[in-house]
Amino acid sequence: MLSIILVASIAVAVVLGYKTKINTGFFCIAFAYFIGCFGMGLKPKELIACWPVSTMFVILSVSLFYNFAAANGTLEKMSGSLLYMCRRFPGMLPFALFFVALILSVMGAAYFTVLAFLAPITLMICEESNMDKLTGAAAINCGALAGGNFPTASLGVVFRGLMETAYEAEPTMSVPNSFSEEIVVFALSVVFSLILIAILRFGFKSNRNIGKGVTFKKPEAFDGKQKTTLTLMLIMMLVVLVFPLLKIAMPGNVLIGSIAAKIDVGLVAFCFTIVALLFDLAPQKEVIARVPWNTILMIAGAGMLIAVAVKAGTIDALSSWIGSNVPTPLIPLAFSFVGAFMSFFSSTTGVVAPALFPLIPGLAAATGLNPAALFACTILGAQSSAISPFSSGGSLILGSCGKEEERNQLFNRLLFVACPVSVVCCAVYNLIVAIVL
């Protein structure tokens, strides 16, 4: 009975957050308090200890550092420069837009930041180049999501933390290398994105005359602060990536393994934040103001409620139910569709991943499925519906439409064309991935 209440409370928290526009994390914390302390007899200190400190720390520190690039215009200049480099291949504009969004996202720009920068530019390019706006919107959305799945990027650090937390809830299982598992997710998301964009690019008649008449303006050169910011971003990526990659290449090297174990993206990001402040690359007040507190609170609140569910045995019960009632070959498909359905109305990082990730380690052990494949199916499934006009990504794209008539038309096409095509294609893709892996 308690497990049913906990599952229902997660669903109610999502619905209340959607209906009231109040952060879903707030409702999750309240439900965790009443169910945990009054229904399960937990002490308040035990409940507060469920707060996901590590995940919150990583999001805070990484966003602080990359906020310098957003505040001083480095990201905007990068966007213009990358697009200008693609001027000789106008017919491949959707793929160019995808790679621009991908690179910006891999470099640390948050999903919302990438879309906020690129959506107005993309819709303008679509008009100038006779490209279908739905194709352009899907291209930058896929790029921002796929790039964000990189292990050191905005979404990747969250997913890695949630993966590790999911394994920690299973005391009999050893925690795998979340870096390598997230690399798998990143690679799979890039391949799926390219397939989806190709379907949209070559499947719509409105894209037949794409590229004719488009003009690219040469962006202004980076100023001193922007060059320094870009240099620091590249150095930080090298610091964070080199030793984990060397560990994968040379697993038997004790020294490399020891150094890699001490390289933490959150702590490294704070060190680089200090360097950026010393160079005065952007006002400290503005950098702190750009921290995504709404996302942090959503993820932390959902994480607290999920932790209560773990203590109550709800996660084990759900894992057993899925393992017993869903045929093993269809489990990846189930995670894909459930993730897509949940993400249609809620956040992938704040609701979907915290709710579904804890099911995966035990389920993978019971069924023999590859846990990395199940993590990928969950993430890709959830992200496949992110183009929905009800989601944050779709709403940002719609907000960039200047005319009401175009906005209404794009709303219908995002809802009834892009979203269904993306979800179905992703489910088929995930099924193939699960078989191969």
Side-chain angles (χ1 to χ4, degrees):
M1 183 63 182
L2 185 60
S3 292
I4 295 175
I5 293 173
L6 279 162
V7 172
S9 68
I10 295 172
V12 171
V14 173
V15 172
L16 287 174
Y18 176 71
K19 290 289 186 181
T20 64
K21 306 302 179 186
I22 297 173
N23 193 305
T24 303
F26 294 167
F27 293 110
C28 288
I29 294 170
F31 283 134
Y33 174 50
F34 288 114
I35 297 173
C37 291
F38 297 99
M40 295 171 54
L42 295 177
K43 295 179 180 179
K45 287 187 177 180
E46 290 180 291
L47 180 67
I48 294 171
C50 293
W51 185 268
V53 176
S54 179
T55 301
M56 182 176 177
F57 177 81
V58 170
I59 300 172
L60 170 64
S61 56
V62 171
S63 65
L64 270 175
F65 173 67
Y66 286 115
N67 283 346
F68 285 93
N72 64 21
T74 302
L75 289 179
E76 193 171 2
K77 288 278 182 69
M78 287 174 62
S79 170
S81 299
L82 291 169
L83 280 173
Y84 184 72
M85 290 168 61
C86 303
R87 66 191 182 279
R88 297 186 184 277
F89 310 98
M92 301 301 286
L93 267 174
F95 298 98
L97 288 168
F98 165 75
F99 281 110
V100 168
L102 179 81
I103 293 172
L104 288 175
S105 199
V106 166
M107 293 292 287
Y111 170 67
F112 308 107
T113 303
V114 174
L115 286 187
F117 276 129
L118 290 184
I121 299 172
T122 298
L123 294 181
M124 183 171 57
I125 288 176
C126 288
E127 291 182 359
E128 294 178 356
S129 63
N130 298 315
M131 180 168 66
D132 183 78
K133 289 185 178 179
L134 184 65
T135 306
I140 59 172
N141 183 70
C142 286
L145 288 171
N149 291 334
F150 196 70
T152 60
S154 55
L155 301 176
V157 294
V158 175
F159 293 142
R160 287 175 60 191
L162 293 174
M163 285 178 189
E164 293 169 0
T165 302
Y167 276 97
E168 288 168 0
E170 298 283 347
T172 58
M173 301 180 69
S174 58
V175 180
N177 188 336
S178 63
F179 183 92
S180 58
E181 295 210 352
E182 189 60 27
I183 280 286
V184 173
V185 174
F186 168 70
L188 291 173
S189 63
V190 170
V191 174
F192 168 69
S193 297
L194 291 173
I195 293 172
L196 179 63
I197 295 169
I199 291 172
L200 299 177
R201 162 65 178 88
F202 299 105
F204 289 164
K205 292 181 180 179
S206 51
N207 283 325
R208 286 180 177 176
N209 295 320
I210 190 172
K212 294 183 179 179
V214 65
T215 56
F216 293 92
K217 294 181 180 179
K218 186 174 183 179
E220 296 179 5
F222 288 89
D223 62 28
K225 288 188 176 182
Q226 291 166 346
K227 288 179 180 178
T228 304
T229 303
L230 192 57
T231 302
L232 286 179
M233 290 167 69
L234 292 172
I235 294 174
M236 178 180 158
M237 285 189 66
L238 286 174
V239 170
V240 172
L241 290 176
V242 166
F243 288 101
L245 290 175
L246 286 175
K247 182 181 178 181
I248 294 172
M250 296 181 285
N253 191 301
V254 178
L255 178 61
I256 290 176
S258 176
I259 297 174
K262 293 180 174 61
I263 298 295
D264 179 85
V265 64
L267 294 171
V268 171
F270 259 115
C271 294
F272 276 83
T273 296
I274 295 171
V275 175
L277 287 171
L278 290 174
F279 278 105
D280 192 27
L281 298 183
Q284 177 178 283
K285 187 176 181 179
E286 184 177 354
V287 168
I288 295 174
R290 288 174 176 263
V291 172
W293 293 111
N294 190 61
T295 301
I296 290 173
L297 290 170
M298 184 185 296
I299 293 170
M304 180 178 278
L305 183 55
I306 295 299
V308 171
V310 170
K311 289 180 179 291
T314 304
I315 302 303
D316 290 335
L318 282 173
S319 179
S320 299
W321 185 88
I322 294 175
S324 303
N325 293 275
V326 179
T328 299
L330 297 182
I331 288 176
L333 206 60
F335 272 84
S336 182
F337 277 124
V338 170
F341 177 76
M342 292 175 67
S343 181
F344 192 83
F345 300 104
S346 60
S347 164
T348 300
T349 52
V351 177
V352 182
L356 297 182
F357 274 23
L359 301 176
I360 292 174
L363 196 59
T367 60
L369 292 169
N370 188 329
L374 290 181
F375 282 125
C377 288
T378 304
I379 294 171
L380 296 184
Q383 292 180 346
S384 68
S385 61
I387 195 68
S388 155
F390 296 114
S391 69
S392 52
S395 59
L396 274 172
I397 292 168
L398 284 175
S400 300
C401 277
K403 299 176 182 178
E404 184 68 24
E405 184 179 351
E406 290 181 355
R407 190 181 299 115
N408 292 334
Q409 184 181 17
L410 187 58
F411 177 94
N412 291 328
R413 297 192 69 213
L414 289 175
L415 183 60
F416 298 113
V417 179
C419 198
V421 169
S422 179
V423 170
V424 172
C425 288
C426 186
V428 174
Y429 177 78
N430 281 336
L431 192 59
I432 296 171
V433 164
I435 293 173
V436 173
L437 293 181

